[in-house]
């Protein structure tokens, strides 16, 4: 499972006084798709008492069009690169086939104890996230 | 310290497409004032490795007027009742002396370990939150 | 259409450092269900260039249990009272059949122009929201 | 006024179950500083009935360290480039002198009516945002 398409409707509280979705929400849409991708791969990015954490190292969006209340959107996330300790995603948000915004996000694998430090991504996770979508 | 007045400006991301502050934010304003009250009393409601938690048991708001982007508001919170295991706050949000909304919130004291359960509020906290504002 | 059941998953950004869903999100869950109910009735609560607005007059929640990341929840909203100018909803949020929280929300119908003022709910809306779920 | 330093405390609802500030909030911190900069320059980025809008064209953050509940942070925003139709900001978020994250944001000037289209930034705004901090 190395990509995922999330279909989602824009909620009222995601809009702002300019009448459109506040730009901070695009980053949350991207993360929702990420967590759905992980679930689809049989994983949780934050299991109870989990040994590893996945802090965001970088996140970016270019915005081409605006989104409005009740729009139905597609959030297409794919793993663009899986390095030893980091994963980089690419994301395209679209509506009715029109591209709205494009994003990227890089996350790092950290071991929580005894002290937070970057570690290699566990093999099981690498394998589950590397499998092609069937 | 049994009451607190927080002065605060409405942020852009707190507004919605109706042009006003989304109602869910009033609950966050109330909580901001609560945590500021605790700090003023020399406490943190969520210290690192803290023994106690303070889940919300009930929260309510009546809305009389709307708030808009860049409005400066006053969030006046006071402890209306300190019971053995719970605290009840009353809150008035106003702008330029005009009442905007009134709220209430009840929180319970819980011990986190070994299992989450309601306990009596520690004496030190009772005393710090009972002192009159000087 | 006078009631609606929304199934929804708890998102990561809805949690807080206490490890549970921040209480402000319950109000947003309730509103999501409201807007889904309106859509199911063939309505939008905020159509582009709409003549009417629906400010919240009151909102309240009692919290019985906590919600956590990735929980799947049911948000059951029903219209408890339709008055001439206001609608009152009752809401039950549950997980796996266990009640998590109960809420209420009252909204008012206002005409936006020439000046914002409370008006009677238009007949078409009354009828659509009064029909029993089929 | 071409730069601004905002001092701000991390709020409880900005944290997530990983115990740190959710990354989406950094973008809101950056925008808070932007709007404070505009106010300091005698402007509002969204005046009532304003002729112009300022949609975000791009936004990005690199995250070096985490923020936690009640941290006091500095959000230093400066105008890195003022083009004819766009403004690019650079932002450094720090705590106790330690750099936490660095961001950039580009906004475009659009005229709202008759149809939304990119236009040159009005002279008055250029001048107010170009003046050195005194």
């Amino acid at each position: 499972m190395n990509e995922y398409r999330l279909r989602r409707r824009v909620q009222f509280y995601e809009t702002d006084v300019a009448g459109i979705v506040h730009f901070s929400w695009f980053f949350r849409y991207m993360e929702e798709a990420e967590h759905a991708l992980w679930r689809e791969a049989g994983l949780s990015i934050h299991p109870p008492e989990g040994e590893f954490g996945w802090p965001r190292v970088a996140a970016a969006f270019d915005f081409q069009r605006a989104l409005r209340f009740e729009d139905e959107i597609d959030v297409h996330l794919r793993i663009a690169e899986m390095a030893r300790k980091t994963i980089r995603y690419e994301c395209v948000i679209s509506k009715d086939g029109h591209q709205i915004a494009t994003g990227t996000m890089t996350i790092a694998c950290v071991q929580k104890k005894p002290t937070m430090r970057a570690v290699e991504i566990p093999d099981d996770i690498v394998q589950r996230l590397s499998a092609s979508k069937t």
Side-chain angles (χ1 to χ4, degrees), chain A:
Chain A
M1 183 59 50
N2 52 17
E3 62 176 314
Y4 192 82
R5 284 179 194 276
L6 175 73
R7 196 161 182 85
R8 188 195 194 286
R9 192 184 290 278
V10 168
Q11 298 298 329
F12 195 81
Y13 54 76
E14 296 162 8
T15 62
D16 62 33
V17 63
I20 60 177
V21 170
H22 191 263
F23 78 110
S24 60
W25 276 94
F26 287 73
F27 295 91
R28 296 179 170 187
Y29 296 164
M30 180 161 56
E31 195 188 60
E32 282 191 26
E34 178 200 25
H35 297 174
L37 185 161
W38 281 56
R39 281 193 295 273
E40 200 72 13
L43 298 165
S44 170
I45 202 167
H46 193 83
E49 314 297 325
E51 186 181 352
F52 302 100
W54 300 90
R56 275 82 254 272
V57 172
F61 255 105
D62 289 323
F63 306 98
Q64 288 101 38
R65 282 185 172 81
L67 289 175
R68 291 188 162 71
F69 176 50
E70 293 191 329
D71 280 350
E72 277 196 87
I73 62 174
D74 288 293
V75 184
H76 180 211
L77 187 82
R78 69 179 195 87
I79 296 179
E81 186 190 2
M82 177 109 53
R84 281 196 315 128
K85 299 183 177 182
T86 60
I87 299 172
R88 189 166 67 80
Y89 301 100
E90 290 180 357
C91 181
V92 177
I93 295 182
S94 57
K95 188 185 76 163
D96 301 334
H98 297 285
Q99 185 171 302
I100 303 295
T102 52
T104 60
M105 182 166 61
T106 302
I107 65 172
C109 182
V110 301
Q111 197 157 17
K112 294 182 191 169
K113 294 181 179 176
T115 58
M116 195 78 88
R117 65 190 180 89
V119 295
E120 292 192 20
I121 301 172
D123 279 349
D124 173 57
I125 293 177
V126 171
Q127 282 167 28
R128 285 177 181 271
L129 295 181
S130 300
S132 290
K133 196 177 170 186
T134 51

